[in-house]
Structures are given as C-alpha cells and as structure tokens.
Amino acid sequence: MEDAKQGQKAHVLVVPFPGQGHINPMFQFSKRLASKGIKPTLTPTIYISKSMQTHTIPTQYGPPIQIRPISDGYDDGGYAQAESTKAYLDSIAIEGPKTLAQLIQKLAEEGDPVKAVIYDGFAPWALDVAKKFGLVGVLFFTQSCSVNSIYYHVQRGLIELPLLGPGPSTVSVPGVPELQPWEVPSFVENYGSYPFWFDAVMEQFSNIDQVDWVLCNIFYDMEIEVVDWMSKMWKVKTIGPTVPSYYLDKRLEDDKDYSLQFFKPNTVLCKNWLDSKPKESVIYISFGSAAELSEEQFKELSCSLRNSHNNFLWVVREKEQTKLPKGFIDETSKQGLVVGWASQLDILAHEATGCFVTHCGFNSVLETLSLGVPVVAVPQWTDQGTNAKFVEDVWRIGVRAKVDEKGIVRKEMLEECIKEVMEGENREEFKKNAAKWKKLAKEAMYEGGSSDKNIDEFVAYVIG
C-alpha cells in the first residue's frame, strides 16, 4: 500500500501528436500507468480536447487521467484549419513547446509538479522542454521499430536517397528482412513527394540521444532482432500492444474501448448484423480514420466484394461514401453492410469475422494481431507498406494485394487475395499463425509478461 501511495505522487505528462492513431495508443498507455499508481495527464491540442468533452477520465484502477490541453496554433479547427501541412507543422513546433512549458509551470504552481514527459516521436520539441525543466524525457514510438529503424538510418545518412539510383535497389537495416523500394515507408520510397511529413518523421531522431527512455508500442516477440539492435543505443522497452485490456489480459475491468473516437460508431447495428452471420463468414473492410481512396479504387473494391459472394461489413466514412458506385449499398444489402464508423475491436473480436481487409495502419495491425484475425493487406502510404510486408512475410497472417501501374489494386487482385485468405489452401496456416500472435500479445500484457514487466520497470524508475 505504501508503494501505491508513493506512486500516486509521481505525475507524468503524456504529449501525443494530434491524430487519432497517435492519441489512442498513448491514452491506452496512460491507463496502464494509472493502474500502477502513476498519475498521468494527457495533453491533446485545444481543438481535439473540445471533442473529448471532459477534463478527467475516471478509472476504477488508479488516479484519474487528467486532460490539460496545449495549443497547436489552430485552436478552432486543428489541422483542417491550417493553410497547408507546412503551416500546421511550423505552427505546432512554435506553439506546442511554448504552451507545454506554460502548463508545466502552472502545474508546479498548483502543487502538482511533473516528474516526466512522455512524448510522441512526432513532437521532438517536447523533449527540449522536458530537459529545460530538468524532467525525465521519454520518447514513445507509435509506429513499428522496423519503420523507425529505417527512418533513423535515413536521418543519419546511412541510407542514401533517392533509393532508385546507381546504388543497391534494396534497403537493408539490422534485424529487418531485405526490403524492396515499394516495401519501405512512402516518405522514403517516394523521396520528395511528402517534403513536410518527411521532415517530421526525420525530426524524431534529431535529439533522440538525449532521451532517458524509449518506449515502443509493440510486444517483444513481434520484432526481437530490431529491438535488440535499438537497445544497444538507447534504453528501449516494449510496452504494447496498447489495446484495451478487455481484449487482452482483462486486468483493467472497465477498459473496453479507447475512450476517444473522432467518429460515432454504429455499435448496435454492427453487432446485430454480425450476430446473424455464420462463424468466420464475414469480410471486414476498413481503411482507418485518415486514408482517402480514389473513386476508381472504391469501384474496384466494390466489385471485388460483390463478386466474392461473401458477407461483408465495410466501414466507409460518411464524407467518403459519395465515392461508392451509385446504388451499391442498396444492391448489396442482403450481402453486406456499409457503415460510417464502427468499433473495430468489437468487429475483430466477433466470431463471425473471417478476415480483415486493411490499409495496415499500425494500430489496425496491432489490433488484428491481438485478436487473431487473418489479413488482406492493402497499404496506402506512410508506414503501411512496411507493415504489410511483415503481415505477409514475417508474421504470416495474410497476403498483400499488389497495385498496378496506376497505383490501383484491381478487383481481380482483391478477389484473388480475399479468396486465398477466406478459403484458400493457406487459410488454416493464416488462422494458426493469427492464433499464435493473439496468444503472445495476451501473454505480453499478463502480470509478469514481457510488456508488463517493462512497464513495472519504467514505473519504478519514475517513482524513483
């Protein structure tokens, strides 16, 4: 009991980059810290905090998670309000550290001083602020260690860009399978096409040698060799997967969702529909909260689902639904269900779900590994091509759909991939491997598991 009381005195700031795929894993990690006695305060941007409609998130297992926002310079509209990507990234690099410093000072004045700052790699300025105040600086990687290793090698000049030049055409970094150019993150593959996001991912490593800890949102078995290589340079600990406890170890009894959704899910509709379908008969399709598919790609996807004759549940954000072929939703109403948003965890956990057609955003990959669902990978950009490589060739839980010369995945390719995962000769292998990773993910978060022990070690350090 004395340890728990002491732990509650240790206060940490958790500084996510403003995007759902970045906020959710750091929020989940905050819940784990709270369960172990640490007092976490989440610092979303002012615009995002308005959608959260709360100042604290109560927990049954420890101190409440406070919400104390900082500014990105666009308090009324966030990223969408900015004139350009460059304008937004420039603004958050100025306003973020300024308002973070003000918050640290204010908390000290309130008698609630901060001991550590845990920050998203996309916000390296937070480490500079932490060090200015003499605080523990903790880097939190929301993407895979392999992806971050590639970025590190580029940032340090160990991989020369552009890739398609007189040198070797493949990419090789320690602990990662040899990668073709189209299998590395798009910021690296298509050097020059994303100038401002490229700078953002490179900046993660600008001051990494000053961090006290590096926390990775994976479990150790996923990327053993890369983690071991990174650990030679920094104090690296795997603390994931940051999936709600209900779907893993069930130690946090009320932890059934991420507590933050930018879109309202059609939970009852989806559950009732899935309940009416046979076991492993449904293809679940979702491309996340940010991907924007072309009208041509929507047409190819629609045709492949119709031709598969499988049941399907397709998440298409409302603003994207105008890209669907005219009449598609009505014409396929007996075969499928199209919704604007859904609780992905509930769908992946449902016994009717047989396969997941995904863009391979890293949170989606972690969820499908944690819930044991085979995959058809249709990567779009950023780290997704590398994640898809691991899905097919390393974790072996599914197949990748290849694009044509126009960058479109054609219906024939999608039909072939769906058929292979749903009923092909490798179906049982995919299911067996998916079940193995599900077991390992749970074991990592059980008491005494690899991730749980690492979190305990981190908590002990912070309490100090």
Side-chain angles (χ1 to χ4, degrees), residues 271-282 311-312 333-336 350-353:
K271 183 182 186 309
N272 290 342
W273 188 86
L274 286 168
D275 285 347
S276 71
K277 300 296 179 276
K279 185 177 180 180
E280 296 178 0
S281 69
V282 174
N311 299 314
F312 66 84
S333 60
K334 291 184 179 179
Q335 180 188 0
H350 200 287
E351 67 173 10
T353 303

Side-chain angles (χ1 to χ4, degrees), residues 12 75 100 105 118 152 161 176 179 224 229 253 266 270 316 326 361 398 413 417 421 443-444 454 459:
V12 301
D75 298 344
L100 179 62
Q105 289 175 317
I118 305 170
Y152 169 82
L161 300 181
V176 179
L179 302 172
I224 293 172
W229 174 80
E253 293 178 6
N266 296 293
C270 290
V316 184
K326 189 174 181 180
M413 169 61 70
C417 289
V421 172
E443 287 175 351
N454 288 339
V459 167

Side-chain angles (χ1 to χ4, degrees), residues 38-233:
I38 294 286
K39 179 180 181 180
T41 293
L42 191 73
T43 66
T45 59
I46 291 170
Y47 172 69
I48 286 175
S49 73
K50 292 174 184 175
S51 70
M52 300 176 78
Q53 299 177 338
T54 183
H55 296 295
T56 61
I57 305 295
T59 61
Q60 295 178 1
Y61 38 77
I65 299 171
Q66 293 188 87
I67 309 297
R68 297 291 290 265
I70 60 176
S71 180
D72 57 7
Y74 293 96
D75 298 344
D76 295 325
Y79 180 73
Q81 185 188 350
E83 303 82 356
S84 64
T85 297
K86 181 180 187 304
Y88 184 79
L89 294 174
D90 286 348
S91 179
I92 196 171
I94 295 170
E95 297 301 321
K98 183 169 70 176
T99 53
L100 179 62
Q102 290 168 353
L103 175 59
I104 292 171
Q105 289 175 317
K106 186 169 179 55
L107 288 166
E109 292 165 3
E110 293 173 2
D112 196 10
V114 173
K115 188 132 184 211
V117 174
I118 305 170
Y119 70 95
D120 189 308
F122 280 40
W125 40 263
L127 177 61
D128 299 332
V129 176
K131 290 305 174 185
K132 175 184 171 185
F133 285 92
L135 306 177
V136 175
V138 185
L139 170 55
F140 189 105
F141 279 134
T142 56
Q143 296 180 322
S144 78
C145 291
S146 298
V147 164
N148 285 307
S149 177
I150 293 167
Y151 289 150
Y152 169 82
H153 281 79
V154 172
Q155 195 265 346
R156 297 294 160 105
L158 302 171
I159 295 175
E160 292 187 17
L161 300 181
L163 292 178
L164 298 175
S169 59
T170 57
V171 172
S172 181
V173 298
V176 179
E178 192 169 56
L179 302 172
Q180 298 298 320
W182 54 275
E183 294 174 324
V184 303
S186 59
F187 302 145
V188 175
E189 177 201 3
N190 300 315
Y191 176 58
S193 299
Y194 311 94
F196 309 115
W197 286 118
F198 176 85
D199 293 341
V201 297
M202 293 300 120
E203 281 293 307
Q204 295 183 95
F205 303 96
S206 60
N207 54 5
I208 189 172
D209 295 326
Q210 279 73 58
V211 299
D212 297 291
W213 288 66
V214 176
L215 304 179
C216 302
N217 183 24
I218 63 165
F219 52 98
Y220 180 64
D221 290 286
M222 288 174 62
E223 299 182 282
I224 293 172
E225 295 85 356
V226 191
V227 173
D228 288 348
W229 174 80
M230 289 175 66
S231 297
K232 295 174 183 176
M233 295 184 290

Side-chain angles (χ1 to χ4, degrees), residues 264-267 269-270 273 284-285 312-318 321 324 329 336-343 347:
K264 187 175 181 180
N266 296 293
T267 305
L269 174 64
C270 290
W273 188 86
Y284 168 54
I285 312 98
F312 66 84
L313 197 166
W314 190 1
V315 174
V316 184
R317 301 191 310 276
E318 288 183 8
Q321 289 185 12
L324 288 167
I329 293 176
L337 176 67
V338 176
V339 295
W341 197 245
S343 170
I347 294 171

